[in-house]
Amino acid sequence: HDCVDEISCLGKGSLFGARRTVVPDIVLIGSGQDVALVMKTKEILLNWSHAFNERLKNGFEGFPHVNSAAVPPLLKVRIVSMPCWELFDEQDQEYQDSVLCSKYRQVFRIYVEKAATKDTGHDKYAHLSVLMPSYGLSGKAADVEKKLEFTPEFIAAKVWASW
């Protein structure tokens, strides 16, 4: 397999969507409630990519020798839900590579985990782990997440800056 997008069986330890063959630029990995967080992060990244390309196109207006090839394609982002590392690790390498696109050097993989404050193996699957910086704050969840920079906007900014 190459980097294939298809609905995968949760019995293999991961699930990702979109039924087409596309090599993404970024793979966002999460589990449980973090999947909703990375889905919102993806939406923000795609909006930023679109806005960036529009500004770039507008910046080239009036330059007759610059064609649309100077504007990069829109960002492609894959979401992977990985609820079970153990099941995922039991799969053959070909399957793991097809889910994470790990054979492609240009694909940037990020693991988002709200329930961890240090890397406990996330680096096996991703180039960057976005983890909770600490615990111990109390208050409304939204306020605490904002204080700890664990919102879709902060995560998107970390991904954009690292990619």
Side-chain angles (χ1 to χ4, degrees), residues 33-119:
Q33 67 182 6
D34 296 330
V35 174
L37 182 63
V38 297
M39 289 177 77
K40 290 177 186 171
T41 300
K42 174 183 177 177
E43 184 178 324
I44 292 167
L45 289 168
L46 294 177
N47 287 337
W48 289 354
S49 175
H50 181 73
F52 175 79
N53 281 14
E54 285 302 311
R55 280 192 222 125
L56 199 53
K57 284 180 196 175
N58 293 337
F60 288 136
E61 282 184 14
F63 292 96
H65 301 292
V66 179
N67 62 25
S68 61
V71 178
L74 291 175
L75 193 62
K76 295 177 292 300
V77 181
R78 172 185 285 183
I79 303 293
V80 174
S81 173
M82 192 180 296
C84 184
W85 290 2
E86 292 82 6
L87 284 175
F88 185 75
D89 289 344
E90 289 175 5
Q91 307 311 307
D92 62 55
Q93 191 63 48
E94 186 176 350
Y95 173 80
Q96 292 179 32
D97 290 343
S98 73
V99 172
L100 299 176
C101 301
S102 47
K103 289 200 280 185
Y104 296 90
R105 283 184 154 141
Q106 76 273 21
V107 177
F108 187 51
R109 294 181 308 281
I110 301 93
Y111 205 110
V112 177
E113 177 68 62
K114 196 182 295 186
T117 58
K118 62 179 182 175
D119 196 340

